[in-house]
Amino acid sequence: MSMRHTPSTLTMLDFAFPNRKIISLSDYFPAGTTYFYGFPCGEDSNFLNRVPSWIEELVAARPVTCAGDHVSVLTFSASGDPDIRDLLQNHCGLELAPSNRVNTFPPDINSTLNCHERNVRIKQELWTRVTPGTLVMAQPYLDASLRHLYLIDPWITAWLNDKKNMPEYIPEEHLPKRPRAYSNGAEFFAHTDQINQWPCVIKISSSSAGDGVRICFNREQLKEAAEEFKDSLGDIFVEEFIGAQFNYGLQFAIPHDHTKPIEIIGWNQQIVSEQGEFLGGVIYPDDYSETLKEVTQVFLTTILPDVRKRGWYGVGGVDILVRPDGRWYCIDPNFRMTAITAYLMEAYNGTVQTPLAGFKGTFTGTRRNFIDHVLIHAKEKSSEQILHMQSLTRSGTTYQFNAGLLFRDQQSAQDNAEHLLNDDVQSRVLVKITKGRALL
């Protein structure tokens, strides 16, 4: 398999941003906005989220690198530690939102809380920390008592993020077929004998990061999915399996100012597990295929104008599968920041100029060990830089981070990934890269 397809002479940036120089969240939200890259824990507000809390804490810190000059960031104390900020600024050279625009939850909201307790505490803090009418939450809580806090109607965001509603704003020819649907996990469990299409994809309608997605190649795998999802309260449907050549994440922006045009921020190739779990993404800053040109045209002229009319704005992404014959399908909406949004903004802004593979990693050791083994590779603009840090937390002696592996080609990607693994970084994506299985 070749590492990448041949780019056309027209790049994504030439096409989508002919006149832009620097972009951030502040380009798309009004002054005073508070951005919380957070999700309900467990099954709350019609949403399923099984992502471990320590990962949620890492995720919530991502906007700190791309907030711009007038958006504030709400995040967890795990990433708000002054020492963490020192490591990112002074050892990596990152430009972060100023401390007075980074609001952190108290330390008791941490990964030790169960989902119910965590949701209760976060809601309490939202009440006391957020100015009414300013909050943007990645996947909002739908409690009536919190509705006054939001900048955008939370029900609109939740509706757009629910996969069952995609036919309302995406053309039918760009959606996989859905032969069967169920109102909850119990109904799905009771009727699996009706499903006889292999392979097929089982999806919990309102979920993310692959939590509610299972690819089934036979009845045994279907039974496993039914057992796993039988207690789910949300809608479940069976979707056509798309044999894809490429798996893209297309990132877009709808400015709050209606006089400004809708934009495409960029795209990435997705790194996923065999079961569809999102693991990371690969960015090629100078690459733009003819298929992506068609995709962006449809989004700019048809899909996103419809979304804007419904009252939503901000940054988001949609996962796109492209078959070998060039037909493409939208499979998952993310009307919020994604794991790759900040990297794509940095690629456009020129901070990231080489291909990058985003991943989640951990390292266990002392602060000095972490600097010597990991951050030594992450100094911005260093001739030996192979790591571009994004967010960082610490739990005891374990450092957790989102970062991008920098590379030139397939061989340098494998070499750089192996180098970090040999320095005791733990990462599923890096292991996949060393085996030549993550890059196209």
Side-chain angles (χ1 to χ4, degrees):
M1 179 183 292
S2 63
M3 188 186 73
R4 61 192 294 191
H5 54 77
T6 303
S8 67
T9 57
L10 179 68
T11 70
M12 171 69 80
L13 302 182
D14 292 332
F15 179 77
F17 288 108
N19 302 310
R20 294 294 295 274
K21 298 298 180 184
I22 300 295
I23 60 174
S24 69
L25 293 179
S26 292
D27 284 86
Y28 310 113
F29 294 103
T33 297
T34 297
Y35 200 98
F36 176 34
Y37 193 168
F39 302 76
C41 184
E43 195 161 14
D44 189 305
S45 298
N46 302 331
F47 184 77
L48 174 69
N49 175 24
R50 294 176 176 172
V51 174
S53 295
W54 70 266
I55 295 180
E56 294 292 345
E57 294 171 358
L58 192 60
V59 165
R62 290 171 180 162
V64 175
T65 62
C66 62
D69 59 10
H70 65 240
V71 168
S72 296
V73 178
L74 182 59
T75 187
F76 295 91
S77 63
S79 59
D81 186 329
D83 185 53
I84 295 295
R85 189 176 181 89
D86 174 71
L87 291 172
L88 292 176
Q89 284 187 313
N90 298 323
H91 291 270
C92 299
L94 294 183
E95 293 186 14
L96 307 178
S99 298
N100 63 357
R101 284 198 286 109
V102 179
N103 189 1
T104 57
F105 290 130
D108 71 288
I109 302 179
N110 56 51
S111 57
T112 66
L113 294 180
N114 65 42
C115 278
H116 174 71
E117 293 171 334
R118 189 176 180 87
N119 287 329
V120 168
R121 284 292 294 117
I122 290 175
K123 292 173 187 179
Q124 290 172 343
E125 291 299 322
L126 292 178
W127 254 99
T128 60
R129 292 175 180 271
V130 176
T131 301
T134 67
L135 176 64
V136 175
M137 185 173 174
Q139 182 68 34
Y141 290 110
L142 299 179
D143 303 53
S145 61
L146 299 175
R147 193 166 184 169
H148 69 292
L149 298 178
Y150 292 101
L151 178 64
I152 302 167
D153 185 342
W155 283 93
I156 292 175
T157 302
W159 187 91
L160 288 166
N161 281 332
D162 193 327
K163 300 175 187 65
K164 72 181 179 187
N165 298 320
M166 294 172 71
E168 297 294 323
Y169 58 91
I170 295 176
E172 182 181 2
E173 63 266 30
H174 298 305
L175 290 171
K177 294 181 176 60
R178 296 176 179 174
R180 298 188 182 278
Y182 309 93
S183 59
N184 54 52
E187 184 181 346
F188 167 56
F189 183 83
H191 294 90
T192 53
D193 59 320
Q194 299 174 348
I195 302 170
N196 293 292
Q197 178 181 338
W198 316 110
C200 66
V201 185
I202 309 301
K203 291 186 174 180
I204 294 178
S205 184
S206 186
S207 61
S208 69
D211 278 343
V213 177
R214 294 296 178 268
I215 302 173
C216 300
F217 291 91
N218 51 54
R219 186 160 298 281
E220 188 60 35
Q221 291 178 336
L222 178 65
K223 289 180 179 178
E224 292 174 0
E227 181 67 31
E228 184 177 0
F229 293 162
K230 67 181 181 181
D231 295 325
S232 175
L233 302 177
D235 295 274
I236 294 177
F237 54 81
V238 181
E239 188 171 89
E240 171 191 9
F241 176 83
I242 303 297
Q245 182 181 18
F246 294 107
N247 185 339
Y248 293 124
L250 184 77
Q251 308 283 314
F252 54 80
I254 301 177
H256 72 96
D257 184 345
H258 279 231
T259 66
K260 294 183 178 179
I262 297 169
E263 302 169 333
I264 301 298
I265 295 174
W267 69 275
N268 63 277
Q269 294 185 21
Q270 306 276 66
I271 303 175
V272 298
S273 70
E274 289 73 13
Q275 285 299 319
E277 176 191 1
F278 176 82
L279 300 178
V282 184
I283 296 172
Y284 296 107
D286 63 348
D287 198 353
Y288 186 44
S289 72
E290 288 302 313
T291 297
L292 282 170
K293 181 178 179 181
E294 177 189 334
V295 173
T296 56
Q297 286 281 26
V298 173
F299 269 80
L300 287 172
T301 60
T302 303
I303 297 173
L304 296 179
D306 184 299
V307 170
R308 172 176 258 182
K309 289 177 183 177
R310 294 175 186 273
W312 190 90
Y313 55 84
V315 297
V318 174
D319 296 345
I320 308 287
L321 295 182
V322 181
R323 297 195 325 191
D325 64 5
R327 290 192 62 183
W328 55 274
Y329 301 84
C330 302
I331 61 167
D332 188 19
N334 297 282
F335 285 85
R336 53 186 169 241
M337 275 188 70
T338 75
I340 305 298
T341 302
Y343 295 127
L344 284 169
M345 287 184 171
E346 291 171 314
Y348 178 79
N349 294 342
T351 304
V352 173
Q353 298 180 332
T354 64
L356 174 151
F359 70 96
K360 177 172 72 270
T362 62
F363 176 89
T364 300
T366 65
R367 186 181 192 274
R368 186 73 256 168
N369 293 152
F370 182 60
I371 294 171
D372 292 343
H373 286 251
V374 181
L375 297 191
I376 192 173
H377 304 300
K379 184 67 176 178
E380 291 295 308
K381 298 181 175 59
S382 165
S383 60
E384 298 183 0
Q385 182 188 7
I386 62 172
L387 196 61
H388 177 70
M389 296 294 288
Q390 183 184 85
S391 60
L392 174 66
T393 61
R394 182 181 61 239
S395 178
T397 59
T398 297
Y399 289 84
Q400 301 117 350
F401 56 91
N402 285 133
L405 179 77
L406 304 177
F407 62 95
R408 299 181 307 278
D409 51 32
Q410 179 83 52
Q411 188 58 56
S412 68
Q414 290 181 241
D415 291 344
N416 292 348
E418 187 169 353
H419 195 139
L420 292 172
L421 292 171
N422 288 339
D423 270 342
D424 298 323
V425 171
Q426 304 292 315
S427 168
R428 291 170 65 185
V429 169
L430 294 183
V431 171
K432 287 175 75 74
I433 290 175
T434 62
K435 295 178 179 179
R437 295 166 53 196
L439 307 180
L440 296 176

